[in-house]
Amino acid sequence: MRPITESDIRSSFVNCSKGEAKRLGLPADLAEQPWQDLDFLGWRDPGAPDRGYVVAEREDGGLVGIALRAVKGAARGFASRSMCSLCLTIRTGGGVALMSARRTGEAGRLGNTVGQYLCSDLACSLYTRGMKQTAGGDFEETLTVEERIARTRDNLAGFIAKVVA
Ligand SMILES: [Zn+2]
């Protein structure tokens, strides 16, 4: 994705209030992100550990930001394995967490959320490219990196479509 700034990020959120978007904690190393290798910018809030954020580019070049919250009590045992729904990385020990996103519009006002298993550090782009390794052990991938990138992007678009209904 193209490099984006703090104001790009804060104005991109579709499922939280303007006040929340203004206050949320940005990644400390925003300027040093490996933008060319990111399908989306994902991070955990440095000041609120149960919050996470995903900012992605739409096809028209606009941005869509999704605020996430880790689901309490969803953490499984250390030895159990979970799969991220975006990059399909399998990880143990809490490396994949159940996160929920409030839906936009009327559904969100009624309290509807979308739950999704995601890499806890939201660094799916780097796992997809083999730039970050997991301790949990990857399963044997037969796809090329390009195919994996396309798959992660498809999964991301599907997730966003469920939130922005
Ligand atoms: Zn992932």
Side-chain angles (χ1 to χ4, degrees):
M1 67 185 293
R2 66 182 158 89
I4 55 175
T5 65
E6 171 171 354
S7 66
D8 292 334
I9 291 170
R10 293 199 189 281
S11 56
S12 74
F13 284 92
V14 295
N15 71 334
C16 67
S17 71
K18 286 206 168 68
E20 286 173 289
K22 215 166 119 184
R23 289 189 303 271
L24 61 84
L26 295 175
D29 52 352
L30 181 62
E32 283 102 57
Q33 294 293 316
W35 299 105
Q36 71 280 3
D37 290 315
L38 294 184
D39 305 306
F40 64 90
L41 179 65
W43 74 100
R44 296 297 287 257
D45 192 319
D50 66 326
R51 308 283 179 96
Y53 311 101
V54 163
V55 176
E57 262 176 324
R58 288 193 307 239
E59 270 179 43
D60 65 6
L63 295 171
V64 52
I66 308 276
L68 301 159
R69 197 179 273 253
V71 176
K72 287 197 182 73
R76 300 193 196 167
F78 186 79
S80 73
R81 292 148 64 91
S82 303
M83 182 189 276
C84 172
S85 60
L86 297 184
C87 65
L88 308 193
T89 295
I90 298 169
R91 299 168 76 186
T92 56
V96 169
L98 180 60
M99 311 277 282
S100 81
R102 206 178 78 201
R103 293 178 62 199
T104 60
E106 183 63 19
R109 279 190 292 278
L110 293 171
N112 286 350
T113 59
V114 175
Q116 199 94 3
Y117 280 94
L118 300 169
C119 289
S120 305
D121 57 6
L122 299 165
C124 303
S125 305
L126 303 183
Y127 297 114
T128 298
R129 288 160 178 76
M131 295 168 67
K132 204 168 176 181
Q133 303 296 330
T134 62
D138 294 297
F139 64 98
E140 200 69 36
E141 278 276 13
T142 52
L143 300 182
T144 65
V145 171
E146 284 70 28
E147 288 168 331
R148 291 167 66 176
I149 291 170
R151 183 179 65 189
T152 294
R153 290 184 179 179
D154 277 354
N155 292 338
L156 176 67
F159 171 49
I160 292 171
K162 278 192 269 181
V163 175
V164 186

